Amino acid sequence: MAYINVGYGNLVNTDKIYSIVSPDSAPIKRLIQKSKETESYIDATCGKKTKSVIIMEDDIILLSALNTETLASRLNQ
């Protein structure tokens, strides 16, 4: 198993990641809101602004304060 740092010492299993997207579009905002209502999200921002959304297996949404490009480069290393 390989892990990536998604900010502030939080690690995620790379095998469980489907996609990394920006939180700016309306469909992603709706997805975040729906996951908050069903409590199927993880907030790893530590109170900072959400800059990327990681969509994982089992419909888990992870919010990160790191840019999507930063996470993508960490994932490709």
Side-chain angles (χ1 to χ4, degrees):
M1 276 190 254
Y3 293 92
I4 63 166
N5 185 341
V6 294
Y8 304 103
N10 298 302
L11 302 174
V12 174
N13 184 351
T14 58
D15 296 334
K16 308 266 183 198
I17 296 175
Y18 282 135
S19 65
I20 303 172
V21 295
S22 173
D24 298 331
S25 69
I28 298 300
K29 288 180 182 180
R30 286 192 298 268
L31 182 66
I32 293 169
Q33 186 60 38
K34 181 182 174 187
S35 68
K36 286 182 178 181
E37 291 170 359
T38 60
E39 297 182 6
S40 61
Y41 80 106
I42 301 168
D43 187 354
T45 62
C46 292
K48 305 291 184 189
K49 180 181 177 187
T50 300
K51 293 184 181 176
S52 63
V53 178
I54 302 170
I55 302 171
M56 303 175 63
E57 285 183 358
D58 301 326
D59 297 326
I60 300 294
I61 305 298
L62 188 133
L63 308 177
S64 175
L66 297 179
N67 290 325
T68 56
E69 294 84 14
T70 304
L71 292 173
S73 68
R74 289 182 183 185
L75 190 60
N76 291 328
Q77 287 180 355

